[in-house]
Amino acid sequence: MEKVLLITGGSRGIGAATALLAASQGYRICINYLSDHAAAEKVCSKVRELGAQAITVQADVSNEDEIIRLYTRVDAELGPVTHLVNNAATIAHVSRLDDISEFRMLKIMMSNVVGPMLCSKHALLRMSPRHGGQGGCIVNVTSRVSCLGAPGEYIDYAASKGAMDTFTIGLSKEVAGEGIRVNAVRPGYIFTDFHALSGDPFRVSKLEGDLPMCRGGTPEEVAQVIVWLLSDKASYVTGAFIDAAGGR
Ligand code: NAP
């Protein structure tokens, strides 16, 4: 069976590092992105240089019609998805709940919860033997803040990641008998552009001194965990959480 890996939000940060690490491990890779076509193509070129077949597909994974279009492209150009990394997510400016609008809450929940649940649904339609598949693997990139709550910062984002942790537990048990493993990685402060969305691009540098390991993490360190969970080396691991958070 060909291994076909879909990484949502693969054009930057943790998703891009995952694509590059997986490139040498026998996957055909789809790099999904929202808006930065040039960044996605750059990652795709590097993945191809490492020997993997790869494509980029623009799609907003908070919208089911776009998810269906994404999976249809992958079916046609790489084959049915066997491995999914639900990595794409968004965050908003540091705020207390008093200042968080309904619009913002809905956007966070659509991107960070409904989107990954729908991406998982369309993956199962290809992975599950109930639908003619031969099993597969899903890794959800959640966050250490699902356990910490992020008070005074972005509790809406933390709550979305908590929902994905619960989804990971439920789905892992729902499909364990169908040869599908579902796990989650919970990063801590990682050096990516994500923090600009919270209003401070230098957030990790400013806060890393307070971490037990006294430093922020790299996207490559998180990618190592994701790619291990995707691999057969983790064949008896499902419903598990690995914190890549420097002890936070
Ligand atoms: P990042 O560098 O900002 O990259 C985000 C990626 O997601 C980009 O490829 C972006 O595409 C894509 N994206 C965003 N919304 C999307 C949507 N609706 N549909 C499709 N693609 C979308 O982020 P990151 O730091 O690597 O974060 C990756 C994951 O790790 C996220 O789930 C995040 O919550 C989690 N995480 C990060 C940290 C951290 O400190 N960085 C900590 C804990 C958890 P464009 O470039 O086209 O916009």
Side-chain angles (χ1 to χ4, degrees):
M1 181 172 66
E2 293 293 345
K3 296 192 294 180
V4 178
L5 169 60
L6 168 59
I7 304 170
T8 67
S11 60
R12 291 190 279 121
I14 293 167
T18 302
L20 291 169
L21 185 61
S24 58
Q25 304 198 13
Y27 296 97
R28 296 176 177 178
I29 300 176
C30 174
I31 297 156
N32 155 256
Y33 65 100
L34 180 60
S35 54
D36 194 341
H37 176 74
E41 285 302 325
K42 203 168 162 186
V43 175
C44 192
S45 298
K46 287 188 191 161
V47 165
R48 288 185 185 132
E49 278 167 24
L50 291 165
Q53 191 178 339
I55 60 170
T56 62
V57 181
Q58 186 284 328
D60 180 347
V61 297
S62 66
N63 174 310
E64 188 169 23
D65 288 342
E66 299 211 10
I67 293 170
I68 291 169
R69 178 173 57 76
L70 165 64
Y71 273 87
T72 304
R73 278 273 312 274
V74 179
D75 286 341
E77 295 181 38
L78 300 179
V81 168
T82 58
H83 294 70
L84 166 67
V85 180
N86 275 316
N87 169 73
T90 195
I91 197 168
H93 273 214
V94 166
S95 307
R96 281 175 48 96
L97 182 63
D98 326 37
D99 295 318
I100 298 179
S101 65
E102 180 193 28
F103 176 81
R104 166 173 160 165
M105 288 182 197
L106 290 173
K107 185 176 178 209
I108 296 272
M109 290 298 164
M110 289 304 292
S111 295
N112 299 6
V113 184
V114 178
M117 289 200 295
L118 287 169
C119 284
S120 301
K121 168 186 152 182
H122 287 278
L124 290 191
L125 292 171
R126 287 149 179 88
M127 295 175 183
S128 172
R130 294 161 71 106
H131 301 285
Q134 298 177 56
C137 185
I138 297 173
V139 176
N140 295 320
V141 183
T142 73
S143 173
R144 184 70 186 122
V145 297
S146 69
C147 307
L148 302 172
E153 296 184 312
Y154 24 65
I155 63 175
D156 52 348
Y157 169 79
S160 76
K161 294 300 188 176
M164 283 307 296
D165 282 1
T166 304
F167 176 71
T168 301
I169 295 167
L171 184 62
S172 68
K173 293 177 197 263
E174 196 164 292
V175 298
E178 297 166 32
I180 301 168
R181 296 185 298 105
V182 184
N183 294 290
V185 178
R186 290 193 287 227
Y189 291 138
I190 309 300
F191 287 102
T192 72
D193 296 338
F194 195 65
H195 302 280
L197 296 171
S198 75
D200 185 356
F202 307 108
R203 186 173 168 76
V204 178
S205 305
K206 286 179 185 164
L207 298 176
E208 64 183 343
D210 294 334
L211 294 173
M213 285 181 72
C214 301
R215 68 170 180 86
T218 65
E220 290 74 20
E221 288 175 307
V222 182
Q224 288 286 352
V225 182
I226 295 170
V227 171
W228 180 76
L229 283 170
L230 288 173
S231 77
D232 289 343
K233 291 177 188 162
S235 55
Y236 200 52
V237 180
T238 198
F241 296 84
I242 299 182
D243 293 346
R248 186 177 181 218

